C-alpha cells in the first residue's frame, strides 16, 4: 500500500517543511508517525514510569504543543485530568516527548499516546501507544513443605517486568538477602519457617507477608515433673511432655511397656508406691514419632516396720523403712505416743521389750513422717486374782460366784478352778449353787494363754452353818441339826 502524507506545520517560515513520504506498513493510516520506546511497560505498583515517543517523520514547532493522553483522560491532556495532574511531567523537544508518570497504580493500566495540539490531527490518532501494566509483588510458597524438601520461594509479578530489578528478601521483617526473584531453601529446615516478603531494591514496594510453614516430626522431646523434688505418698503429681513438632503432636504416656495415658500432661492423684516406676512420653505426628528418655518416679514413703510377733522379754528392733534409698544418711526422728525420742538412726531398739512398751510409734525423716503403728507386746498371765460374789459371810444354801481375773496378752483363754489340788471347774467364773459346809475350802484359779500359766493365790471359803453343834466331850462333832425349829423332828446323830 502506498500512502501519501502531507503534513504541514505552522512554524516559522524558516523551518517550515514539506514532507512527502512513501512508506508502506509503518505509518498508521491517516495518522501521524510516532515511534514509542518502549512499547510495553510492566511497572511496579508505586513506581515511576517514563514513556517516550519520537516523531518519526516530522519536527514539531515546539514541545509546548505536545501532550499525552489516554482513554481514562478521554483522550484529553493528562494535565487537564485531576486524576493524573499531580503525577505527570512532560519533557521534550522538537523530535520527542517524554511522559513521567509517578506513583503508578493498577488504575493507571491503560494505553498512553503522545499527541499534538493541532485541531487538524483530531480524530486521527491511530498509533499503538504505550501499554502500561502495573503489578504488585506476591511471595509464592509451596503449599505443603516438609523439612528436608528443596523449596523455592518466588517473588511473583503479574506481568513480566521490563527491567529486571534486584529483589530483596525479608523473613520476619528482617533483611535476608538480595538476589533474584527466587529464594532457594535447599534443603529447607524448620528454622526457615516464618513470614516472608519480597521487595525491589530501591523501591518502596513490598509484597505482603506470606507464612512459610515447615512441617516436621517431633524433635527434642522432654518430660518434666511437677512438683519437682521428693514425691510423697498421697500427693498429686503431674508429668508434662513437650516436644517441638509441626503440626502439633499427639502424646502417649508409657509406664514400663504399658500405655497409661494420653495428652500433653499426665496427672496421678493420691500417688502411692505402686505408681513408682519408669515413665516415658511418646509424641507423634504424621511426620514421625519420638520417645522421651525414661523418667523414674520414686514415691517416697516411710513406714515403721515391727517384727510380726513381739513377746515380752524379746530384744525388739523397730525399723524406719523408706521406699527409695536415700543418697545422704539423714537424721531420723522417732515418736512414741506423739513424743519424740532420742534415737536418731533408722532403728529403735527395745531390749528387752516390756508390756509397757506397747505404744504408738512413728518415725520421721526429711520432713516426712510415717503413719503410726501400735506395738503389740504379748505376755503370759500376770497378777491373777480371784474375787468372790457376794462378798461377806457366806451362808449355807446361798449361791456363790468365784471370778478369776488376770492381765494377759492375748487374753487368757483357759481358766481352771482347783479346790485344794482337785480340778473342780472351768471358765472365768465358777458358780456354786446351794452351797453347803462341805464346799468350804481353799480355791485357786489357774489361768493360761499361749505365753504362760499362772495360779492365783488361794482364796479360802468358809461356809457358815445355821446349826447347833453338839460336841462330844472329846471335841468331835456328834450331831448336826439343821435348824432349831426342826430340832425335835429331825435329829441325827453322826458318829465320826
Ligand atoms: C498499590 O499501591 C497503592 C498505593 O501504595 C495501594 O493503595 C494499593 O493497595 C496497591 N495495590 C495492591 C494490589 O496492593
Ligand atoms: C508518591 O507517593 C509518595 C509516597 O507514597 C508520596 O510521598 C508522594 O507525594 C507521591 N507523589 C505524588 C506525585 O503523588
Ligand atoms: C538382748 O540384748 C541384750 C543387750 O543388748 C543382750 O545382753 C541379750 O543377750 C539379748 N537377749 C537376747 C535374747 O538376744
Ligand atoms: C453368778 O453369775 C451368774 C452368771 O454370771 C449370775 O447370773 C448370778 O447372778 C451371779 N450370782 C451372784 C451371787 O453374783
Amino acid at each position: 500500500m502506498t500512502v501519501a502524507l502531507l503534513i504541514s506545520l505552522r512554524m516559522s517560515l524558516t523551518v517550515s517543511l514539506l514532507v512527502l513520504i512513501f512508506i508502506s506498513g509503518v505509518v498508521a493510516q491517516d495518522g501521524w508517525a510516532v515511534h514509542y520506546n518502549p512499547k510495553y511497560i510492566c511497572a511496579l505498583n508505586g513506581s515511576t514510569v517514563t514513556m517516550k515517543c519520537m516523531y518519526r517523520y516530522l519536527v514539531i514547532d515546539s514541545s509546548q504543543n505536545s501532550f499525552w493522553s489516554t482513554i481514562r483522560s478521554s483522550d484529553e491532556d493528562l494535565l487537564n485530568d485531576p486524576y493524573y495532574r499531580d503525577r505527570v511531567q512532560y519533557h521534550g523537544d522538537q523530535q520527542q516527548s517524554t511522559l513521567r508518570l509517578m506513583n503508578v497504580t493498577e488504575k493507571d493500566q491503560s494505553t498512553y499516546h503522545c499527541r499534538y495540539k493541532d485541531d487538524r490531527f483530531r480524530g486521527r490518532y491511530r498509533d499503538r501507544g504505550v501499554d502500561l501494566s502495573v503489578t504488585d509483588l506476591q511471595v509464592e510458597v509451596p503449599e505443603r513443605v516438609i523439612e528436608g524438601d528443596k523449596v523455592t520461594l518466588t517473588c511473583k509479578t503479574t506481568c513480566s517486568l521490563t527491567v529486571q530489578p534486584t529483589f530483596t528478601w525479608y523473613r520476619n521483617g528482617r533483611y535476608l538477602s538480595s538476589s533474584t526473584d527466587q529464594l532457594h531453601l535447599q534443603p529447607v529446615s524448620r528454622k526457615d519457617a516464618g513470614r516472608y516478603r519480597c521487595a525491589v531494591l530501591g523501591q518502596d514496594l513490598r509484597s505482603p507477608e506470606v507464612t512459610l510453614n515447615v512441617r516436621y516430626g517431633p524433635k527434642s522431646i522432654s518430660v518434666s515433673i511437677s512438683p519437682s523434688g521428693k514425691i510423697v505418698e498421697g500427693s498429686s503429681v503431674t508429668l508434662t511432655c513437650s516436644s517441638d513438632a509441626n503440626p502439633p503432636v499427639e502424646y502417649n504416656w508409657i509406664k514400663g511397656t504399658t500405655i497409661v495415658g494420653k495428652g500433653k500432661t499426665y496427672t496421678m492423684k493420691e500417688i502411692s508406691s505402686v505408681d513408682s516406676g519408669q515413665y516415658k512420653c511418646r509424641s507423634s505426628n504424621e511426620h514421625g514419632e519420638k520417645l522421651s528418655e525414661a523418667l523414674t518416679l520414686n514415691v517416697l514413703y516411710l513406714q515403721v516396720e515391727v517384727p510380726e510377733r513381739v513377746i515380752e522379754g524379746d530384744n525388739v528392733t523397730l525399723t524406719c523403712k523408706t521406699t527409695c534409698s536415700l543418697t545422704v544418711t539423714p537424721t531420723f526422728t522417732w515418736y512414741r505416743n506423739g513424743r519424740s525420742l532420742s534415737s536418731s538412726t533408722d532403728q529403735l531398739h527395745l531390749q528387752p521389750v516390756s508390756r509397757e512398751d506397747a505404744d504408738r510409734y512413728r518415725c520421721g525423716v526429711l520432713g516426712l513422717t510415717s503413719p503410726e503403728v501400735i506395738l503389740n507386746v504379748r505376755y503370759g498371765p500376770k497378777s491373777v486374782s480371784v474375787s468372790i460374789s457376794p462378798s461377806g459371810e457366806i451362808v449355807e444354801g446361798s449361791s456363790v460366784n468365784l471370778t478369776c481375773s488376770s492381765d494377759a496378752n492375748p487374753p487368757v483363754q483357759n481358766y481352771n478352778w482347783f479346790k485344794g489340788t482337785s480340778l473342780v471347774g472351768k471358765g472365768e467364773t465358777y458358780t456354786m449353787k446351794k452351797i453347803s459346809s462341805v464346799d468350804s475350802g481353799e480355791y485357786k484359779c489357774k489361768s493360761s494363754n499361749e505365753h504362760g500359766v499362772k495360779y492365783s493365790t488361794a482364796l479360802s471359803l468358809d461356809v457358815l452353818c445355821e446349826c447347833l453343834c453338839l460336841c462330844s466331850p472329846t471335841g468331835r462333832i456328834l450331831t448336826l441339826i439343821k435348824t432349831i425349829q426342826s430340832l425335835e423332828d429331825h435329829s441325827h446323830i453322826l458318829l465320826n
Side-chain angles (χ1 to χ4, degrees), residues 313-316 350-352:
D314 286 356
N315 280 348
V316 168
L350 302 167
Q351 293 183 342

Side-chain angles (χ1 to χ4, degrees), residues 32-39 52-56 114 127:
W32 61 329
V34 288
H35 176 75
Y36 293 96
N37 185 21
K39 295 185 175 66
K52 190 174 173 188
C53 83
M54 285 155 290
Y55 317 128
R56 249 182 145 172
C114 78
D127 58 278

Side-chain angles (χ1 to χ4, degrees), residues 15-246:
V15 291
S16 72
L17 279 173
L18 184 69
V19 183
L20 183 68
I21 309 152
F22 298 92
I23 289 182
S24 61
V26 176
V27 179
Q29 198 170 20
D30 301 331
W32 61 329
V34 288
H35 176 75
Y36 293 96
N37 185 21
K39 295 185 175 66
Y40 172 77
I41 296 176
C42 170
L44 292 168
N45 189 16
S47 65
T48 296
V49 295
T50 302
M51 301 176 206
K52 190 174 173 188
C53 83
M54 285 155 290
Y55 317 128
R56 249 182 145 172
Y57 304 112
L58 77 163
V59 175
I60 61 171
D61 55 350
S62 159
S63 63
Q64 302 299 308
N65 285 328
S66 69
F67 65 94
W68 289 74
S69 73
T70 183
I71 292 173
R72 208 177 190 294
S73 65
S74 316
D75 277 340
E76 294 297 333
D77 190 343
L78 298 177
L79 282 174
N80 294 333
D81 185 339
Y83 174 74
Y84 284 107
R85 191 185 298 144
D86 298 334
R87 299 187 287 130
V88 165
Q89 283 175 5
Y90 297 152
H91 298 281
D93 52 29
Q94 289 167 327
Q95 273 131 39
Q96 61 174 47
S97 175
T98 301
L99 164 65
R100 225 168 101 83
L101 180 58
M102 289 175 275
N103 294 5
V104 293
T105 68
E106 285 100 297
K107 287 186 195 162
D108 298 332
Q109 296 188 119
S110 188
T111 304
Y112 292 80
H113 302 270
C114 78
R115 303 292 189 218
Y116 186 70
K117 286 179 189 164
D118 188 319
D119 289 344
R120 285 176 293 162
F121 303 111
R122 285 235 179 267
R124 290 209 248 152
Y125 308 139
R126 298 268 171 86
D127 58 278
R128 277 186 68 246
V130 182
D131 287 325
L132 174 65
S133 294
V134 178
T135 180
D136 273 305
L137 298 177
Q138 198 76 41
V139 174
E140 200 179 62
V141 297
E143 204 175 312
R144 196 180 158 88
V145 174
I146 300 167
E147 192 172 36
D149 285 358
K150 289 186 172 180
V151 170
T152 298
L153 308 189
T154 307
C155 192
K156 278 275 189 187
T157 54
T158 49
C159 53
S160 92
L161 289 167
T162 320
V163 259
Q164 268 306 312
T166 303
F167 288 86
T168 50
W169 288 90
Y170 297 86
R171 180 172 63 219
N172 298 332
R174 288 202 180 157
Y175 173 80
L176 207 57
S177 70
S178 287
S179 65
T180 64
D181 59 343
Q182 293 200 320
L183 181 66
H184 300 286
L185 304 168
Q186 293 180 352
V188 70
S189 110
R190 82 199 96 127
K191 290 184 190 120
D192 294 324
R195 291 169 284 111
Y196 284 83
R197 73 158 95 239
C198 62
V200 163
L201 201 63
Q203 296 276 340
D204 286 339
L205 184 63
R206 293 177 163 215
S207 76
E209 279 189 322
V210 172
T211 299
L212 174 68
N213 183 20
V214 179
R215 306 169 75 102
Y216 52 93
K219 311 272 168 186
S220 57
I221 186 167
S222 66
V223 176
S224 63
I225 185 163
S226 159
S228 57
K230 58 182 189 252
I231 294 163
V232 183
E233 195 171 31
S235 63
S236 171
V237 167
T238 298
L239 306 182
T240 305
C241 192
S242 52
S243 76
D244 177 20
N246 183 20

